[in-house]
Amino acid sequence: MALKLGVNIDHVATLRQARRASYPDPLVAAELCLCVGADYIVIHVRGDERHMNEKDLARLCKAYRKQIHLECNSSLEMQKMVLKHKPGSVCIVPELPGEITTTGGLKFTPKNFDRIRQMTQALQDKGILVSLFVDPTADSIRAAAKCGADIVELCTRDYSEAKNKKEQAKLLSELALASLLAKELGLEVHAGHGLDYENVLPVADLCGISCMNIGFSIISRAVLAGLPNAVCAMKELL
């Protein structure tokens, strides 16, 4: 069965912001991706709005609300933004000052756990599906289930950065076990971070995973091959 594909278009906005221009337009990018087979459009509105911003979220939700999968931190400010625009689904992710990209899954400290659980419930009360971005460990997955999440997205960063095949195989095994545990706990399972055209298939073959969220490698290929071609190539792999 073909897996669903969420295409992260953050770096379309990164290119726009390089010149503070009005183009390339993320809304046009979203339309192209959906027209050629993407199942979801993924965007990350960071606290510093370095690429995507609230205006982008508003426009995308107006056009494709059910297919917009928003990544954001667990702050009260982000919760208010989400409830204002109501994307179809949200993935709560960690954010660290100065990071280039997300460095790992959520850390479930007592204080953080309560905030994530409260935000999860608030979004679900308005019909928004909630995913939590987690490391592929039993503790993290059990914590996500206790928070009441609908979905867990397994962080594939370590797998994608493995130094050799032996290390990659070990990390793939950890992802496999994490996926099985999440399914046993009644969670839908997604995966993403650092996946590309060369390393995606072993993860896609794991039992229980239903959706792959991929951005940088697709947008990078799109610069040279065009966005429709890049999305179609990934969708064909899945």
Side-chain angles (χ1 to χ4, degrees):
M1 183 175 66
L3 299 185
K4 293 179 180 179
L5 172 63
V7 178
N8 188 315
I9 60 171
D10 286 350
H11 292 300
V12 173
T14 298
L15 183 58
R16 176 193 65 189
Q17 295 305 98
R19 291 286 293 268
R20 299 296 190 269
S22 60
Y23 62 90
D25 187 348
L27 184 60
V28 175
E31 181 179 7
L32 285 171
C33 291
L34 292 170
C35 281
V36 298
D39 298 281
Y40 302 103
I41 299 300
V42 182
I43 70 167
H44 186 172
V45 178
R46 287 179 167 270
D48 60 9
E49 295 192 337
R50 70 174 67 161
H51 35 56
M52 289 291 179
N53 55 47
E54 185 174 355
K55 183 179 178 181
D56 293 320
L57 176 64
R59 294 175 68 225
L60 287 163
C61 285
K62 184 177 180 180
Y64 304 112
R65 189 180 77 82
K66 290 288 188 182
Q67 292 156 296
I68 300 303
H69 182 69
L70 171 68
E71 297 177 342
C72 66
N73 65 44
S74 60
S75 69
L76 187 58
E77 291 75 19
M78 285 295 172
Q79 179 178 319
K80 291 177 179 177
M81 183 187 72
V82 172
L83 293 175
K84 179 180 178 181
H85 301 291
K86 297 182 176 65
S89 57
V90 168
C91 184
I92 301 174
V93 302
E95 286 183 15
L96 298 175
E99 67 182 8
I100 295 174
T101 186
T102 306
T103 57
L106 291 162
K107 307 306 179 189
F108 293 96
T109 64
K111 181 179 178 180
N112 200 30
F113 180 88
D114 288 341
R115 172 85 277 271
I116 293 169
R117 182 170 58 181
Q118 291 166 7
M119 183 170 175
T120 297
Q121 186 63 59
L123 303 191
Q124 290 172 332
D125 286 346
K126 298 299 181 180
I128 300 169
L129 292 173
V130 178
S131 173
L132 301 183
F133 188 70
V134 301
D135 294 320
T137 66
D139 286 347
S140 292
I141 292 165
R142 291 192 178 101
K146 289 179 180 177
C147 281
D150 302 291
I151 305 161
V152 288
E153 180 173 344
L154 302 179
C155 177
T156 55
R157 181 191 181 194
D158 288 346
Y159 163 82
S160 68
E161 296 179 357
K163 297 178 177 62
N164 52 60
K165 290 185 177 180
K166 182 178 179 180
E167 182 181 354
Q168 188 179 61
K170 175 181 177 294
L171 294 166
L172 186 65
S173 177
E174 291 177 3
L175 287 165
L177 291 172
S179 178
L180 290 173
L181 175 59
K183 291 296 290 182
E184 287 178 3
L185 294 174
L187 297 163
E188 184 176 336
V189 186
H190 297 180
H193 197 87
L195 297 174
D196 58 34
Y197 297 86
E198 302 299 323
N199 64 22
V200 69
L201 283 180
V203 180
D205 282 339
L206 296 180
C207 180
I209 294 178
S210 63
C211 181
M212 313 294 284
N213 293 320
I214 303 172
F216 184 73
S217 63
I218 292 176
I219 302 304
S220 295
R221 178 173 288 201
V223 171
L224 302 178
L227 188 55
N229 288 335
V231 173
C232 285
M234 183 61 76
K235 185 67 176 178
E236 185 175 349
L237 282 173
L238 300 182

